[in-house]
Amino acid sequence: MAPNSPSPRPLLPLALATAALALVAASCIVNIPDDGAFQCSGDGDCGGGGYVCAHPSGQAAYCCLPQPEECDGKDNDCNGVIDDLPPRSCYTGPAGTAGVGSCRAGRQACAKGAWGECQGEVLPAAEQCDQQDADCDGKLDCADPDCDKRACSKSGGGSGTCQGGLCI
């Protein structure tokens, strides 16, 4: 080597660095945060990791990580429809009274990210001497063989008449 010529640089470290960059680029997975909408045209645009491209009707497609659907104003299951849940059963009466006597559960629907009012439920009510279990305690009213005239009195909503062990 000539005294004033620059020393040769080793090429091996440069070759290793280039190979490492190529390996990283080939195995790159994009981490998409849940709080943003990233447009896509297919699942491959979403960077892997379980993300899919959701295609809502009339809107731009977006990357989404499928989860069970919830009533929260989001498309959790990534099918392109927000809060597409079937109505669910509901009951706001005292525990143990649903399905007893006249008491029945109702239905409520998910709308705008929240479960709506419970519709169609039948809650416990005062007994009426009508051979029904309106208070949902598991016993028919006024069915006692001695015919309790107090329970059948006009002030209690009945006719005050006892016939065959029943209030009529």
Side-chain angles (χ1 to χ4, degrees):
M1 229 190 319
N4 287 339
S5 64
S7 63
R9 297 186 183 210
L11 295 177
L12 184 59
L14 180 59
L16 288 174
T18 303
L21 284 174
L23 181 62
V24 168
S27 64
C28 179
I29 293 178
V30 178
N31 188 11
I32 300 174
D34 290 334
D35 59 353
F38 296 90
Q39 289 188 358
C40 55
S41 58
D43 291 348
D45 295 339
C46 294
Y51 282 84
V52 298
C53 188
H55 299 275
S57 178
Q59 297 177 16
Y62 56 89
C63 293
C64 181
L65 183 61
Q67 304 289 324
E69 192 69 38
E70 295 181 32
C71 185
D72 60 1
K74 298 177 184 176
D75 177 21
N76 309 96
D77 61 2
C78 305
N79 68 351
V81 182
I82 294 172
D83 292 341
D84 57 327
L85 294 162
R88 69 179 186 182
S89 179
C90 57
Y91 186 72
T92 60
T97 59
V100 177
S102 301
C103 293
R104 299 284 175 263
R107 307 288 286 162
Q108 64 186 157
C110 176
K112 298 180 182 177
W115 288 103
E117 243 182 81
C118 188
Q119 301 288 320
E121 69 181 333
V122 178
L123 300 174
E127 295 287 10
Q128 299 295 317
C129 269
D130 58 2
Q131 293 302 300
Q132 302 295 316
D133 181 14
D135 65 358
C136 307
D137 65 357
K139 301 174 196 162
L140 294 178
D141 59 355
C142 299
D144 113 36
D146 296 327
C147 191
D148 183 353
K149 290 189 184 272
R150 289 172 302 183
C152 209
S153 69
K154 288 184 180 187
S155 64
S159 66
T161 305
C162 179
Q163 186 175 43
L166 302 175
C167 299
I168 56 168

